[in-house]
Amino acid sequence: MGGKAHRRNALVILGGAHDLLQTIYHDTPDDLNAVVIDEATGKIATSSDTTVYIYRPCGNATGILKWSQQISWRPDATGAAVVALSWGSSEELLVGTSCLRLYQTAEDIKLIWTRGLSSPPKFALFSRDATLVASTAHYDRLVKVWRRLSFGSDDVRFDSTYLSHPATVTGARWRGSEDRNQCSSNLLYTICADSRMRVWAAIDPRGQQLLQLWAEIDLQESIQPRSIGSATQSCHRYALFIDSPDFICATQIAAQVVADGRKEHYALDHLAEVARCNSDVCVVLDDKGHMSAWGIENVGANSRAGTDVFNVAHVEHFDVVSLLKTFQGTPFVQFLTFCNENHESGLTLIVHQFDGTIAWLEGRIDDVFDPSCIKDRLRLKALWTGHERPIKKIVRNISGKAFISRTSDNEGLIWKSRDGKDQLALSRHSTLESPERIHRTCLLYDGDFVINLHHHSISLWNSHDITAKLVASRDYLIQGKPLCLLLLPESTEEYGLAYVATISSSMKGIVWKVSVPYNFDRKRINARTMLPPAIEQYCDFDLDSKDELAFILPVDPAGSTTTVSSFLDTFAKDIAVSYNHDGVLHTWTARLNTKKKSIDWLVTSTVITAIREPSLTSGSSNRKIAVVDSARNGLTVWDSRGGQLEYDKHFGLQETIQDLDWSSTPDYQSILAVGFPHKVIILSQMRYDYLDRGPAWAPIREVYIGESTCHIIGDSTWLGNGNLVIGAGNQLFIYDKAVKSSDEMVTDLSIPVHNHSSMDIFSVVTLLNGPLPVFHPQFLAQCILAGKFVHVQRIVINLNNALKYFTDGDRLDSMMGIAVNEFFTEPNDIYLTRKRMRISPTDCNSENDTEKISDELASSLNAKLTNIALPDLSSQEQINLAYIVACVATAQKHQRSMDDNAMRYLLLFQQFMLRKAQSPATNLDITWREIAWAFHSNSQDILVDLVSKQYQGRMLWKHARESARNEYTKTDERNPINCSLYYLALGKKNVLQGLWRMAGWNREQSATQKLLSNNFKDPRWKTAALKNAYALLGKRRFGNLSDAVNVCAHQLQDLQLAVTLARVSDGDNCLVLRELLEDIVLPRAAFEGDRWLATWAFWMLGRRDMALRALITPIYTELDTPGSLSQRAKSYLTSDPALVVLYKQLRDMTLQTLKGASMVSPRAEWEFIIQCARLYDRMGCDLLALDLVRNWEFLSRPREPQKLPREALDPGKILGRQSSLVVADLSSPQSPILRECGGSGIAQPAKVFKEPDVNSLLDTFGF
């Protein structure tokens, strides 16, 4: 365990190289200057110039070790600075100011001894047994040794003597031991400016001196380089000590490694002999890579032999030297060594460089002292360095291999990430100190160059060296406030050139051309061909946007390099995202025009979020945008390509979102880090799930830094390797990419991690995204919806055969032996699907196809799924797969009497029953999607039979009264008013009477019971009921059919009940139903973006052309609906790819639907197909996406615009097949609301459209 006083006011406590236990900040303007740990009690003492703080350990019994402040005090009333601290025995603390003071700290602070000094001490150190104290002042050649004369009494006394040195004493240390209470002589090692190390021991206890000089080592002469020359000579010397207990322990660990056969080392026998002599070792270094080790034994003996100080090893190319050259800005260094018994390396070396850097190195002792030339004697495990002020901003480069952290005082540190098992996660590369305030920053070429944008100038810094140098600068003048600094797309032909741009709040901008002397290929480019550093104003521009810009910022590259595109179109990479005060987002791309020396801009997408005054926005190069509302606790994630809402979450009022950072997997799956004051929640993109309406984003990890520091998070960023860097206070916290499979967030997602205890974040996100195996329940379900029942049959049969001999650890063929081209080379017409299901077995490609999915096969496969954990499925997904297998078996049994739409409804109904069984407390309803498939099915009789069998053969009263019972029991008072409408609609007046008899507390009980006791079939009581209904209607109660329907639709928010009441009471052609559809259903469908509801409602109204158009175009464009759209209407769930299946089916069905299809613009249909293909891809159904874009047939449209009105066109000629298969229904009635929508107007001439080439579709989608 170690502690260190961090720069300024932070005490950082660590349990190892990468084990941060706690960070304690001091709210004081004084810097901390000393820290010391009491190994016996675990107490930590630290001090500023005037105050001493003591922290005691707590919580060790609970397994959470922390330190809390015990006390703080000012030891010197005169204000003298505290310069030295040292723990003695029995919780005694020695404090050095202008005098030495000894305090007892067991309970309260008690001063037990003090003695004045002529000069403030440079150090004051207790010996290991606390009987001696060594102290000296700055630039003093005398070491004063204090001997304690009494213990355990209030009368503490010391006497003292001096140890004289010929020059200034620069360092001192007492010999360590395993136990401070063991009886051993106290040895003092001192180093002074004459480059000699001296050993002091109590040779003559009766002499006048407490300690006598026993031996000395000349540090200059101890290193003799093997080669002679100025390049190998150095006068700098450094010394470190390895105490005998640590040397013995490290040697034993090395011997154990050799005994285990992991490595042979011939130098180990020599080191074992040194260890057997209980020798201390003094290691002497220089800054040229030379090291000499000296053993010291028999210290304190009355007579010293010539062999008591002997050479242990002489080593060339010592690793510490190269590390010092890399990180050290000053030659002043202090060393600390100890043996880590729990680590294979054994020897640990702490290097404290006085420029503010502490390095942790580890190595095996036989490697350290091996005289042969070997590498990696010591491995750098950790490097502690950083800022003096709190971190304000972190900016990464495109690849994520470098970033710069900035403070408010314009100090920047450039860091580079390192990959490798034994390498640091980060290394400090360079320091940048700007005299001007830094407004924006971007990094070039992996952090070797930095561009800073100031308010009136732009500067270029060369950060190759430890200290970054300003190499170019240029002033600029722009209208408005500069908002961003954009790195424009790179050109692979222009080496050493970069183009950056800024955009102001007035939508004005400047582009600069930056030349850097960067060597891309050292074999071809030499120093003469490198461009000198320069910044040139390339051009200025005006975006000329009509919207008032609130902010514009660069798109997070998320690991992908933006290169120059051949065309300036919507497929080019986004480089910026902007938003206005109304929450309208725009994404931008740009391309330089080198001929005109200008820049062209293009808006690639527009997203209307309806979020007023967004407080924070961040865009990803993967076309994702995160938006935080004005209250800073609401987060939405949008897909900018389709303008769809993918995630909407409101956090607690105390959880303020203050940072957003994007990353992505190597296959471009998005990851979002949402920063709060003391934690970061990591969200992962998920596959779309339209059957279960699952979330498109989910949290997979939460990083909480509150246990490590009390500072709030300043900023965070992702590294390219998946590590997350968080800046809080003046510290950088690095969290690796490992995600524990036992984490509650991971288990909630049911990821198939199986035996993996942890996985890296990229692997977890890949499991949540990417292509699915063909036996995955989601893929099978989408195949059924797409009409590929034959493929589903083959997959299920092949899976059953594959599991016959499956054992744990085996892999399953993701394609189940089916060729990829079989999914899209055959026609996909839904009218041929049922025909294929009835073809003879000889037409199949496999012997397995001769089998049928019988109930026995389904039972056998489901039994295997119960006992076998499939490698690519979670337990919940295996349950879903079992339900789909049962559904397929049922459809196989009824294939001659069940059409495709019935099969689709059956699948969705099975999923509904599964969700209902898993969440019995949740009030779930059949959605309009299921209703639409059943409505267009010609097998409704068998569907009724199958659904009734789900309820054990008959529809029980308990199922029908479920809604009524829920309304009755939803409140504690059990008010019969809540369920009266349900029971009356179901004809259960007697049940309602019983409920009113129990409602004695209701003042209306008597009158209601009297009313319900009458026979309402009698005209007299029927008239009385109507009169009472009008009175109740004034009190917001139910009346006649129209009133009852309105109550269901408005008060109960139950459209299905309202439609049921209207259709059961007066039929499908009643006025009440039509008014319900026109006034309530269609506006609600437009408001919520429910295309399934809209197409059903239009079909019920006889407007089949609009029913078709509602599937492909937003509903609000078909209706003049007042008000704004709900967030639900913008959700990705409104764009179900199954809509394209119903669209194709209805398009070819009637003349009205053909007419509606002809009114859809070619561009709209093309975009609809591309969007559905993207949705299939996001669902993991890439094969279905490829099938859709490859086999889609566009309508054959006329080449020349038609001058005849739309009604004069023959829609049957549009479709390339016999018109006798199309139902003639152009004379269907129209309602007034639909006539206002253009149902009777003269159609515009059809646009000329050429069917897109198949290859262009594939290219657009990414195939």
Side-chain angles (χ1 to χ4, degrees):
M1 180 181 298
K4 66 190 183 78
H6 206 277
R7 291 188 178 183
R8 297 297 178 184
N9 60 350
L11 172 65
V12 183
I13 307 172
L14 303 106
H18 305 292
D19 183 14
L20 176 62
L21 299 179
Q22 190 177 359
T23 301
I24 302 174
Y25 285 90
H26 296 74
D27 188 15
T28 173
D30 297 331
D31 296 345
L32 300 182
N33 54 21
V35 62
V36 62
I37 302 174
D38 185 6
E39 297 181 14
T41 62
K43 285 186 174 182
I44 298 177
T46 185
S47 65
S48 64
D49 287 342
T50 59
T51 308
V52 177
Y53 307 85
I54 294 182
Y55 299 89
R56 63 173 56 174
C58 57
N60 195 22
T62 62
I64 304 176
L65 183 59
K66 298 294 178 183
W67 278 258
S68 61
Q69 183 172 317
Q70 174 189 350
I71 197 170
S72 65
W73 77 98
R74 292 176 175 265
D76 198 311
T78 63
V82 178
V83 293
L85 298 174
S86 182
W87 286 102
S89 63
S90 303
E91 302 183 48
E92 294 176 349
L93 179 65
L94 181 67
V95 179
T97 57
S98 58
C99 60
L100 291 181
R101 292 181 173 88
L102 185 62
Y103 293 89
Q104 174 56 247
T105 67
E107 297 298 333
D108 294 330
I109 297 300
K110 181 180 180 182
L111 179 64
I112 59 176
W113 176 80
T114 184
R115 182 60 55 91
L117 299 173
S118 58
S119 300
K122 179 180 180 180
F123 57 79
L125 305 171
F126 262 118
S127 64
R128 190 70 176 171
D129 61 359
T131 60
L132 300 177
V133 174
S135 67
T136 188
H138 288 273
Y139 312 109
D140 198 345
R141 66 180 186 87
L142 299 177
V143 175
K144 193 170 187 178
V145 179
W146 306 77
R147 180 175 58 183
R148 188 165 184 170
L149 302 177
S150 61
F151 284 89
S153 65
D154 293 337
D155 184 18
V156 177
R157 291 177 298 163
F158 286 82
D159 64 0
S160 62
T161 59
Y162 291 95
L163 305 179
S164 178
H165 293 72
T168 302
V169 177
T170 58
R173 70 181 300 272
W174 291 100
R175 179 187 186 185
S177 63
E178 294 182 356
D179 184 2
R180 69 162 49 206
N181 296 319
Q182 72 180 13
C183 295
S184 62
S185 59
N186 289 313
L187 304 179
L188 179 66
Y189 298 100
T190 62
I191 301 174
C192 67
D194 64 351
S195 294
R196 288 180 178 268
M197 187 276 295
R198 292 172 172 83
V199 184
W200 304 84
I203 301 173
D204 183 7
R206 287 172 292 194
Q208 295 183 353
Q209 297 290 333
L210 298 176
L211 300 177
Q212 293 84 30
L213 179 63
W214 184 82
E216 64 180 29
I217 297 176
D218 191 330
L219 303 183
Q220 288 289 342
E221 296 297 328
S222 62
I223 294 180
Q224 297 293 332
R226 296 175 182 175
S227 59
I228 300 176
S230 60
T232 61
Q233 301 294 325
S234 174
C235 61
H236 293 290
R237 294 292 184 267
Y238 309 95
L240 61 95
F241 298 87
I242 305 176
D243 293 319
S244 175
D246 292 324
F247 190 87
I248 294 172
C249 177
T251 305
Q252 291 173 348
I253 292 176
Q256 183 64 42
V257 173
V258 174
D260 293 341
R262 277 174 275 182
K263 186 177 180 181
E264 294 184 0
H265 208 295
Y266 300 104
L268 187 58
D269 294 338
H270 172 59
L271 298 179
E273 183 65 27
V274 176
R276 279 192 291 269
C277 298
N278 293 325
S279 302
D280 293 346
V281 177
C282 174
V283 180
V284 184
L285 320 171
D286 67 4
D287 56 358
K288 297 295 184 179
H290 306 109
M291 183 268 279
S292 180
W294 298 83
I296 305 172
E297 62 180 1
N298 298 325
V299 181
N302 292 331
S303 61
R304 185 175 73 86
T307 58
D308 288 344
V309 178
F310 58 92
N311 183 260
V312 176
H314 185 85
V315 176
E316 303 286 337
H317 308 291
F318 194 56
D319 290 339
V320 175
V321 177
S322 61
L323 292 171
L324 293 177
K325 289 182 178 179
T326 302
F327 301 112
Q328 180 179 302
T330 174
F332 299 107
V333 180
Q334 187 175 7
F335 298 93
L336 173 67
T337 60
F338 61 91
C339 179
N340 188 350
E341 299 179 1
N342 300 320
H343 198 277
E344 186 177 290
S345 297
L347 184 64
T348 300
L349 174 63
I350 307 295
V351 184
H352 181 197
Q353 303 168 66
F354 287 12
D355 64 345
T357 300
I358 300 177
W360 179 301
L361 302 101
E362 292 179 353
R364 277 179 36 189
I365 197 165
D366 53 338
D367 291 334
V368 172
F369 294 108
D370 192 335
S372 60
C373 183
I374 63 173
K375 296 182 178 180
D376 298 328
R377 299 178 188 271
L378 291 171
R379 291 175 296 278
L380 186 62
K381 305 296 292 185
L383 181 68
W384 301 316
T385 183
H387 295 278
E388 296 185 1
R389 300 294 182 186
I391 296 171
K392 176 183 178 182
K393 185 66 177 177
I394 300 177
V395 180
R396 57 169 268 185
N397 73 327
I398 293 177
S399 65
K401 295 181 179 179
F403 68 88
I404 181 173
S405 55
R406 296 200 329 253
T407 62
S408 58
D409 58 353
N410 302 312
E411 179 194 47
L413 296 183
I414 295 92
W415 307 82
K416 289 194 175 184
S417 65
R418 294 184 176 184
D419 296 324
K421 181 179 179 181
D422 295 326
Q423 293 291 337
L424 287 175
L426 282 180
S427 64
R428 179 173 168 177
H429 181 64
S430 184
T431 302
L432 186 153
E433 295 184 0
S434 173
E436 296 184 71
R437 183 177 182 274
I438 301 175
H439 187 53
R440 296 289 183 266
T441 299
C442 75
L443 275 65
L444 302 178
Y445 307 127
D446 291 339
D448 288 335
F449 291 90
V450 181
I451 300 177
N452 287 328
L453 180 70
H454 313 284
H455 284 294
H456 301 290
S457 65
I458 184 172
S459 59
L460 173 65
W461 297 74
N462 186 334
S463 55
H464 278 90
D465 299 327
I466 296 175
T467 302
K469 299 178 181 178
L470 178 65
V471 293
S473 179
R474 188 179 185 89
D475 295 334
Y476 69 90
L477 182 63
I478 192 172
Q479 179 181 343
K481 178 183 178 181
L483 300 178
C484 62
L485 183 62
L486 305 175
L487 182 60
L488 299 179
E490 299 178 359
S491 174
T492 57
E493 299 178 354
E494 295 183 302
Y495 295 107
L497 293 179
Y499 295 88
V500 294
T502 186
I503 301 176
S504 71
S505 55
S506 302
M507 299 300 285
K508 310 294 183 181
I510 300 175
V511 177
W512 291 281
K513 178 181 177 180
V514 181
S515 305
V516 296
Y518 192 78
N519 192 347
F520 288 87
D521 188 349
R522 296 181 180 179
K523 296 180 181 180
R524 296 184 301 166
I525 302 177
N526 54 39
R528 295 181 180 178
T529 60
M530 292 182 185
L531 296 174
I535 299 178
E536 172 189 348
Q537 184 165 327
Y538 186 76
C539 67
D540 53 16
F541 58 89
D542 186 353
L543 290 181
D544 193 24
S545 177
K546 297 180 180 179
D547 297 332
E548 183 180 355
L549 184 66
F551 208 82
I552 186 168
L553 67 159
V555 162
D556 195 321
S560 61
T561 303
T562 305
T563 57
V564 176
S565 175
S566 301
F567 303 96
L568 186 64
D569 51 26
T570 57
F571 299 106
K573 285 281 189 179
D574 295 335
I575 64 171
V577 58
S578 65
Y579 59 91
N580 62 15
H581 298 282
D582 294 327
V584 179
L585 307 176
H586 296 290
T587 57
W588 302 79
T589 188
R591 184 182 62 175
L592 292 170
N593 191 329
T594 55
K595 294 182 179 179
K596 297 181 179 180
K597 203 174 182 180
S598 62
I599 185 172
D600 301 321
W601 290 87
L602 177 67
V603 176
T604 57
S605 67
T606 300
V607 181
I608 303 176
T609 66
I611 300 175
R612 289 280 304 169
E613 302 294 342
S615 60
L616 194 62
T617 297
S618 179
S620 165
S621 58
N622 293 339
R623 301 292 177 93
K624 307 295 180 186
I625 304 177
V627 181
V628 179
D629 61 12
S630 58
R632 282 188 173 267
N633 58 9
L635 172 67
T636 56
V637 179
W638 302 79
D639 177 31
S640 63
R641 183 183 287 107
Q644 295 176 332
L645 176 64
E646 293 187 343
Y647 184 76
D648 189 358
K649 174 71 174 180
H650 284 270
F651 299 91
L653 296 177
Q654 304 300 323
E655 296 183 292
T656 304
I657 303 174
Q658 57 186 29
D659 188 29
L660 299 168
D661 293 289
W662 288 99
S663 181
S664 69
T665 64
D667 55 347
Y668 303 110
Q669 310 294 345
S670 297
I671 307 171
L672 175 63
V674 184
F676 297 86
H678 296 284
K679 68 179 181 180
V680 175
I681 295 178
I682 300 176
L683 300 176
S684 168
Q685 171 183 308
M686 304 269 286
R687 293 187 189 94
Y688 284 169
D689 183 2
Y690 290 94
L691 293 183
D692 294 331
R693 305 179 72 85
W697 290 80
I700 59 173
R701 187 180 181 186
E702 180 175 306
V703 177
Y704 180 67
I705 70 167
E707 297 178 353
S708 302
T709 177
C710 60
H711 269 262
I712 64 173
I713 296 175
D715 201 1
S716 61
T717 192
W718 288 99
L719 298 180
N721 57 11
N723 293 342
L724 180 65
V725 178
I726 299 176
N730 57 355
Q731 291 178 285
L732 288 174
F733 298 86
I734 308 169
Y735 294 88
D736 62 20
K737 56 185 177 182
V739 177
K740 295 181 179 179
S741 58
S742 59
D743 192 287
E744 183 178 351
M745 291 183 175
V746 177
T747 55
D748 289 346
L749 297 176
S750 300
I751 301 176
V753 294
H754 297 297
N755 296 326
H756 298 286
S757 60
S758 66
M759 302 176 66
D760 67 83
I761 192 170
F762 290 161
S763 299
V764 172
V765 176
T766 299
L767 286 175
L768 296 172
N769 296 274
L772 294 170
V774 296
F775 55 84
H776 194 281
Q778 172 146 296
F779 185 84
L780 293 176
Q782 292 301 322
C783 282
I784 293 174
L785 293 176
K788 292 183 173 293
F789 189 81
V790 173
H791 295 84
V792 174
Q793 177 181 335
R794 290 187 59 192
I795 292 169
V796 172
I797 293 173
N798 292 353
L799 177 62
N800 181 64
N801 294 334
L803 294 182
K804 288 180 180 179
Y805 308 103
F806 182 85
T807 58
D808 290 341
D810 291 350
R811 297 296 301 174
L812 285 176
D813 180 12
S814 62
M815 296 298 298
M816 283 289 107
I818 304 175
V820 174
N821 60 350
E822 292 186 32
F823 281 91
F824 54 84
T825 53
E826 298 180 13
N828 194 29
D829 194 284
I830 59 173
Y831 296 104
L832 299 180
T833 303
R834 292 176 66 241
K835 181 178 180 181
R836 290 196 203 102
M837 292 169 58
R838 301 171 185 167
I839 60 177
S840 63
T842 58
D843 295 331
C844 297
N845 297 328
S846 171
E847 295 179 358
N848 295 335
D849 293 335
T850 62
E851 301 180 36
K852 300 295 182 182
I853 305 181
S854 60
D855 291 338
E856 292 76 13
L857 187 146
S859 299
S860 174
L861 179 55
N862 288 343
K864 295 183 179 72
L865 293 176
T866 304
N867 300 318
I868 299 175
L870 300 188
D872 297 315
L873 299 183
S874 65
S875 57
Q876 182 59 49
E877 290 168 345
Q878 290 194 195
I879 295 174
N880 294 343
L881 178 58
Y883 270 81
I884 290 181
V885 171
C887 175
V888 173
T890 303
Q892 181 78 57
K893 185 187 304 182
H894 301 281
Q895 61 176 335
R896 294 186 178 276
S897 55
M898 181 184 294
D899 61 8
D900 294 330
N901 288 340
M903 177 64 185
R904 295 178 177 109
Y905 174 81
L906 183 62
L907 168 69
L908 297 172
F909 179 75
Q910 292 278 15
Q911 293 292 317
F912 166 75
M913 296 304 298
L914 175 61
R915 293 196 304 272
K916 198 171 184 65
Q918 293 172 344
S919 305
T922 306
N923 188 17
L924 299 174
D925 293 318
I926 291 287
T927 67
W928 292 101
R929 176 187 57 191
E930 291 87 62
I931 294 174
W933 289 120
F935 178 76
H936 289 290
S937 172
N938 296 322
S939 310
Q940 294 183 358
D941 292 339
I942 193 171
L943 285 180
V944 173
D945 180 61
L946 292 174
V947 172
S948 64
K949 285 183 179 180
Q950 187 69 39
Y951 296 102
Q952 291 77 41
R954 60 194 181 96
M955 185 69 72
L956 301 179
W957 163 239
K958 66 178 182 179
H959 303 133
R961 72 179 182 180
E962 193 174 40
S963 297
R965 185 181 63 230
N966 290 340
E967 289 295 322
Y968 179 66
T969 59
K970 70 180 182 180
T971 59
D972 293 336
E973 66 179 3
R974 296 179 180 266
N975 194 340
I977 295 177
N978 297 333
C979 61
S980 296
L981 182 61
Y982 288 92
Y983 283 112
L984 290 178
L986 294 170
K988 296 295 180 179
K989 187 182 73 170
N990 56 340
V991 177
L992 185 60
Q993 285 180 290
L995 296 179
W996 273 104
R997 280 196 296 271
M998 294 184 292
W1001 53 269
N1002 195 314
R1003 63 181 182 179
E1004 299 179 0
Q1005 180 195 35
S1006 176
T1008 305
Q1009 279 187 298
K1010 183 177 179 180
L1011 177 65
L1012 292 176
S1013 64
N1014 299 313
N1015 182 11
F1016 293 108
K1017 293 183 180 180
D1018 189 332
R1020 174 194 170 192
W1021 294 112
K1022 186 175 183 179
T1023 302
L1026 287 174
K1027 292 180 180 179
N1028 188 62
Y1030 281 112
L1032 292 175
L1033 186 62
K1035 300 179 181 180
R1036 304 184 68 84
R1037 310 286 180 84
F1038 53 87
N1040 55 19
L1041 176 62
S1042 177
D1043 299 329
V1045 167
N1046 286 328
V1047 170
C1048 290
H1050 294 293
Q1051 274 71 34
L1052 301 180
Q1053 294 294 310
D1054 194 336
L1055 282 182
Q1056 295 183 16
L1057 179 60
V1059 171
T1060 302
L1061 287 177
R1063 296 184 68 184
V1064 170
S1065 299
D1066 288 351
D1068 290 349
N1069 296 321
C1070 68
L1071 181 60
V1072 174
L1073 177 61
R1074 181 171 293 275
E1075 291 176 349
L1076 172 65
L1077 296 175
E1078 295 174 352
D1079 299 337
I1080 299 176
V1081 174
L1082 286 175
R1084 182 172 299 181
F1087 179 73
E1088 297 179 354
D1090 193 338
R1091 299 186 185 185
W1092 298 102
L1093 175 59
T1095 187
W1096 174 85
F1098 280 128
W1099 199 278
M1100 288 292 297
L1101 290 170
R1103 286 308 307 270
R1104 299 178 178 180
D1105 55 338
M1106 298 187 70
L1108 185 81
R1109 286 157 52 190
L1111 294 171
I1112 197 172
T1113 57
I1115 308 164
Y1116 64 87
T1117 62
E1118 303 294 335
L1119 296 174
D1120 186 14
T1121 54
S1124 60
L1125 301 178
S1126 66
Q1127 290 291 70
R1128 182 178 176 183
K1130 302 171 184 177
S1131 170
Y1132 75 97
L1133 292 172
T1134 62
S1135 300
D1136 193 334
L1139 291 167
V1140 75
V1141 180
L1142 184 60
Y1143 173 80
K1144 185 175 182 180
Q1145 182 184 138
L1146 299 184
R1147 185 187 68 176
D1148 305 344
M1149 186 176 293
T1150 72
L1151 291 179
Q1152 271 203 50
T1153 57
L1154 281 174
K1155 176 184 176 183
S1158 66
M1159 299 178 66
V1160 175
S1161 68
R1163 180 70 181 180
E1165 184 176 359
W1166 183 83
E1167 291 179 347
F1168 176 62
I1169 300 304
I1170 295 301
Q1171 182 191 29
C1172 290
R1174 290 196 183 104
L1175 296 178
Y1176 274 133
D1177 177 66
R1178 180 67 184 273
M1179 296 171 68
C1181 304
D1182 303 63
L1183 294 173
L1184 297 181
L1186 186 58
D1187 170 70
L1188 177 63
V1189 298
R1190 188 182 190 278
N1191 295 315
W1192 182 260
E1193 295 180 2
F1194 290 89
L1195 290 179
S1196 300
R1197 301 175 186 268
R1199 296 291 182 181
E1200 298 296 333
Q1202 297 290 330
K1203 298 182 180 180
L1204 298 176
R1206 179 72 63 179
E1207 287 79 357
L1209 280 175
D1210 184 4
K1213 295 181 180 179
I1214 299 178
L1215 192 65
R1217 62 188 182 90
Q1218 295 181 356
S1219 60
S1220 60
L1221 298 177
V1222 181
V1223 178
D1225 58 351
L1226 287 178
S1227 59
S1228 299
Q1230 298 178 13
S1231 61
I1233 187 173
L1234 297 179
R1235 284 197 296 269
E1236 293 177 2
C1237 298
S1240 60
I1242 302 300
Q1244 296 295 325
K1247 297 181 179 180
V1248 177
F1249 176 72
K1250 181 180 179 181
E1251 181 175 343
D1253 182 70
V1254 174
N1255 293 329
S1256 67
L1257 289 177
L1258 299 178
D1259 293 340
T1260 300
F1261 185 62
F1263 291 100

